[in-house]
Amino acid sequence: MSTADLFAAAPAPVRRDEPLCAGAVVLRGFALADEAPLLQALDAIVAQAPFRHLITPGGFRMSVGMTNAGPLGWVSDRRGYRYDPIDPYSDQPWPPMPPVFRQLAGAAAAHAGFAGFVPDACLVNRYEAGTRLSLHQDRDERDLGHPIVSVSLGIPAVFLFGGLQRSDRQLRVPLAHGDVVVWGGPARLRHHGVLPLKPNHHGVLGDCRINLTLRRAG
Ligand code: MD3
Ligand code: FE
């Protein structure tokens, strides 16, 4: 068998760039090369700061399970949304930002045209069948000039990408294991959300989807 035949039998994971609009691009499969170290780092975070369902300022329990890593973590309670250096469930700092998270986010941002991105917050979202994230804007970060990098792992989801007005029509973007999306510049304040997940199974993560959102929050 020739070398070409060997590669044909085990094709490289799909890696392509799909621009969504000015400032937003889907990097299909960008995280696949780092799958094992990403999952190992995720286990260490969850061991120190388990997933929990936060309460919105309006008093609703979020269906997404959340935790954080890095110097700042996103939290919600009856008082509002904010970034906090302390995990309110342990009264300890959040687990450290894994170097593989920081490096992947920097590489993805640079690939999308945002050189020098250094995240100080990683929100880890866990979705199960039926979990959804309603349409919102991300505006709790100090400097909205920095992009956000999101990494999808596990079962697929349909992401809703709207406009600057809540009522603007939304694009539906399927996101699969290993996809990375960079959102910045004119896309940074667009509304977005996640449709309720369909029951599914992923060989490595089981019956859930994990999304990492890497931000410069402080
Ligand atoms: C578009 N998380 O944590 S990441 C969030 O899949 C959040 O868990 C979703 O929205 C998830 O706030 C989507 C994609 C994302 C993140 C930030 C954005 C899309 C964005 C900021 C502006 C526009
Ligand atoms: Fe968001």
Side-chain angles (χ1 to χ4, degrees):
M1 220 201 288
S2 75
T3 307
D5 292 331
L6 291 171
F7 280 108
V14 192
R15 254 290 300 124
R16 62 202 145 76
D17 299 349
E18 293 179 13
L20 290 177
C21 69
V25 61
V26 184
L27 311 178
R28 296 282 179 206
F30 196 89
L32 290 175
D34 294 314
E35 180 188 75
L38 284 172
L39 296 178
Q40 189 180 336
L42 187 61
D43 281 344
I45 292 165
V46 173
Q48 188 180 329
F51 288 111
R52 75 289 302 265
H53 295 272
L54 298 174
I55 304 299
T56 67
F60 295 98
R61 172 189 188 266
M62 296 184 74
S63 67
V64 180
M66 293 181 166
T67 186
N68 292 277
L72 290 172
W74 187 85
V75 293
S76 173
D77 59 24
R78 292 306 302 239
R79 288 177 290 160
Y81 306 130
R82 66 191 168 277
Y83 284 93
D84 200 310
I86 299 296
D87 175 355
Y89 283 52
S90 68
D91 287 322
Q92 298 294 312
W94 298 101
M97 176 80 71
V100 63
F101 285 18
R102 193 187 308 116
Q103 175 267 323
L104 176 66
H111 191 83
F114 300 96
F117 177 60
V118 181
D120 62 6
C122 178
L123 173 62
V124 184
N125 291 333
R126 184 192 60 194
Y127 298 77
E128 289 160 308
T131 303
R132 65 191 292 266
L133 187 63
S134 51
L135 205 66
H136 67 279
Q137 291 173 298
D138 287 21
R139 52 191 322 161
D140 300 327
E141 300 75 25
R142 190 179 55 78
D143 178 355
L144 300 176
H146 296 293
I148 294 179
V149 175
S150 85
V151 180
S152 292
L153 298 168
I155 67 175
V158 176
F159 181 76
L160 286 179
F161 190 42
L164 295 180
Q165 306 295 322
R166 198 181 170 79
S167 56
D168 288 342
R169 63 160 288 138
Q170 300 140 15
L171 200 65
R172 281 166 160 67
V173 184
L175 293 176
H177 181 73
D179 291 346
V180 175
V181 193
V182 183
W183 324 83
R188 183 63 179 73
L189 280 176
R190 285 196 181 222
H191 288 77
H192 57 277
V194 179
L195 288 180
L197 259 71
K198 295 198 178 113
N200 212 325
H201 183 80
H202 184 269
V204 183
L205 271 138
D207 299 344
C208 74
R209 167 177 191 255
I210 302 280
N211 185 267
L212 313 175
T213 52
L214 291 130
R215 301 182 167 88
R216 183 97 202 159

